[in-house]
Amino acid sequence: DSGVTQTPKHLITATGQRVTLRCSPRSGDLSVYWYQQSLDQGLQFLIQYYNGEERAKGNILERFSAQQFPDLHSELNLSSLELGDSALYFCASSEGSPGQPQHFGDGTRLSIL
Amino acid sequence: KNQVEQSPQSLIILEGKNCTLQCNYTVSPFSNLRWYKQDTGRGPVSLTIMTFSENTKSNGRYTATLDADTKQSSLHITASQLSDSASYICVVSLPHFGNEKLTFGTGTRLTIIP
């Protein structure tokens, strides 16, 4: 058990809709990362937060946004959903210093119909 | 072209046998190179993290090697077990404004058969 909790595990919705994915980091970790994993694709970094502030941005679409709250949990908001957004979305957490391992949750599987 | 390429894409071996997975990367300079294990339907789990100055690192039956000159890394699994069936992902970390940026390979899918 990595200590990182993601909810929900599965989400099925339609094109054009908006969803929110939630992540609770491992106890003591200040950094949260969001990744997208499409079928047969490598993990793609979306965004990182550290202690409530955005620290790094990757290939995150403008339709996607995230935030980290004072209790350090994070939410990833996906809007105007398209079929191509169907993927596994992973959250990871770490202490926040470079070189530290990232601990991953088991992901949210998003299916767009 | 992916900056982190892994081979083979998939591998099937008999339980108890050894195997070696390869990772070639083009990104540089890098801070560290990581290997993760991802079971089906689960999140990746860190196996090893090596800085550019380290040549080898072990974690139980898993041994990672790094050749920074040729930009190659390998993950050797000894005496494979059925539970080793998973995807193995090579990840290169680049320094990025006091932080780090991870670039993931697409993984090698390993299947252990009894």
Side-chain angles (χ1 to χ4, degrees):
Chain A
D1 182 15
S2 68
V4 178
T5 304
Q6 290 188 247
T7 57
K9 289 192 186 310
H10 303 278
L11 204 46
I12 301 173
T13 188
T15 55
Q17 296 298 305
R18 182 179 190 275
V19 297
T20 297
L21 313 183
R22 183 188 166 99
C23 170
S24 293
R26 207 173 60 128
S27 178
D29 285 351
L30 297 178
S31 233
V32 169
Y33 310 77
W34 285 97
Y35 294 91
Q36 180 191 58
Q37 187 176 41
S38 302
L39 196 64
D40 294 333
Q41 298 270 327
L43 282 150
Q44 298 292 320
F45 169 65
L46 295 178
I47 197 164
Q48 177 198 358
Y49 279 83
Y50 178 81
N51 205 18
E53 293 194 5
E54 182 185 306
R55 179 170 262 192
K57 237 176 182 175
N59 303 321
I60 188 166
L61 300 173
E62 285 191 12
R63 299 183 287 109
F64 297 179
S65 65
Q67 53 185 326
Q68 185 180 28
F69 295 87
D71 67 353
L72 300 179
H73 91 271
S74 178
E75 292 181 354
L76 179 67
N77 301 296
L78 315 176
S79 61
S80 302
L81 287 168
E82 302 175 357
L83 293 177
D85 297 329
S86 294
L88 265 169
Y89 291 85
F90 286 103
C91 168
S93 74
S94 78
E95 295 174 15
S97 304
Q100 295 301 309
Q102 293 183 15
H103 304 274
F104 284 77
D106 284 336
T108 293
R109 181 172 294 282
L110 176 63
S111 298
I112 312 299
L113 303 179
Chain B
K1 182 172 165 66
N2 199 4
Q3 295 175 309
V4 180
E5 297 213 335
Q6 295 187 241
S7 62
Q9 279 191 322
S10 61
L11 183 62
I12 301 173
I13 65 170
L14 288 172
E15 184 181 10
K17 297 296 187 183
N18 303 336
C19 67
T20 300
L21 314 180
Q22 300 290 343
C23 173
N24 295 334
Y25 59 92
T26 58
V27 292
S28 66
F30 72 93
S31 300
N32 55 77
L33 187 143
R34 310 171 182 215
W35 283 92
Y36 279 87
K37 176 186 178 187
Q38 185 176 17
D39 292 316
T40 302
R42 305 295 302 272
V45 174
S46 180
L47 293 176
T48 62
I49 300 177
M50 288 184 293
T51 65
F52 63 86
S53 61
E54 294 179 288
N55 299 119
T56 185
K57 200 142 200 184
S58 291
N59 178 0
R61 294 179 298 100
Y62 301 102
T63 299
T65 63
L66 174 63
D67 186 334
D69 291 331
T70 61
K71 296 184 179 178
Q72 294 180 325
S73 177
S74 64
L75 181 70
H76 186 74
I77 304 175
T78 304
S80 61
Q81 300 176 359
L82 296 178
S83 60
D84 292 331
S85 293
S87 286
Y88 291 84
I89 305 171
C90 175
V91 185
V92 176
S93 168
L94 302 176
H96 186 73
F97 299 106
N99 198 15
E100 60 181 353
K101 175 186 171 185
L102 301 187
T103 301
F104 291 75
T106 54
T108 291
R109 179 74 206 170
L110 176 65
T111 303
I112 312 297
I113 56 175

